[in-house]
Amino acid sequence: MSANARLDHRDPLVFDTHELGRRPGALQRLARTIDAPKDFGVRGVVEVPQGSPVELDLRLESVMEGVLVTGTARARAEGECVRCLEPVGLELEADFQELFSYPDADDRGRVIAEPGDDAEDDEDRYFIEDGLFDLEPPLRDAVVLALPMQPVCRDDCPGLCSECGARLADEPDHHHNAADIRWAALQGLADTMRDGEKDDMGGAGSGVDEKQEK
């Protein structure tokens, strides 16, 4: 987040640090339950549904260069089993820690004359604006990292039948009778020979009938 972004104090993920102050070592603990924002996870794989409750336990500590935020987020995520495609629900707990810098201080806490001159450094940092900071970007990153990228309904889920798509967990004895491909060519040859023998027998029978008629 750039130092020039405007924050809305009414946003549930925007926090006020005025009460904490800028005295290094000052601490503040907060507990808050918020509604999950949109796309809180990996869309189409697993995510915390929009609007579902997310519990936050936060510890704010004033340091020389800003406010160090340490916290835990708890929520319920939903997705789809990658093996059998059944719905999956799981309890999520994501720990995170992030430093929100004062815009008038460098990495060592010293006041600088013109904050934000180094654009590349600013892209990797979060800033406090008018005593406020936005927790959503680092919280979103923590949640995504805590989610399984290949969710399963259970560790030993057998998945789906590769031939018909049946869910194998529902049909433990499910199987298909398949001919051994090593014998397929011989079976075809045997069928051809039998057909040839039938044709020969049919031809011989016709010759006998003709002789009898003469």
Side-chain angles (χ1 to χ4, degrees), residues 102-106 109-118:
Y102 297 124
D104 59 349
D106 66 9
R110 298 179 304 186
V111 174
I112 55 179
E114 297 181 5
D117 284 346
D118 193 335

Side-chain angles (χ1 to χ4, degrees), residues 51-159:
S52 63
V54 179
E55 298 179 2
L56 300 175
D57 290 324
L58 306 175
R59 178 179 183 269
L60 280 57
E61 180 181 1
S62 179
V63 295
M64 289 293 293
E65 61 268 36
V67 175
L68 182 65
V69 179
T70 304
T72 300
R74 298 180 181 86
R76 181 170 178 79
E78 297 178 0
E80 185 178 82
C81 178
V82 296
R83 298 178 187 171
C84 69
L85 308 182
E86 288 293 305
V88 173
L90 56 96
E91 298 301 322
L92 169 72
E93 184 170 303
D95 296 322
F96 55 91
Q97 186 175 73
E98 191 64 55
L99 174 66
F100 292 85
S101 302
Y102 297 124
D104 59 349
D106 66 9
D107 291 336
R108 288 169 290 180
R110 298 179 304 186
V111 174
I112 55 179
E114 297 181 5
D117 284 346
D118 193 335
E120 293 184 0
D121 288 345
D122 288 354
E123 289 179 358
D124 298 329
R125 299 170 63 187
Y126 297 106
F127 289 93
I128 294 175
E129 176 202 331
D130 297 330
L132 304 175
F133 68 85
D134 184 6
L135 188 62
E136 181 173 341
L139 177 60
R140 185 183 296 275
D141 290 344
V143 168
V144 170
L145 290 175
L147 289 170
M149 291 299 98
Q150 293 187 319
V152 291
C153 58
R154 68 187 201 198
D155 292 340
D156 61 346
C157 174

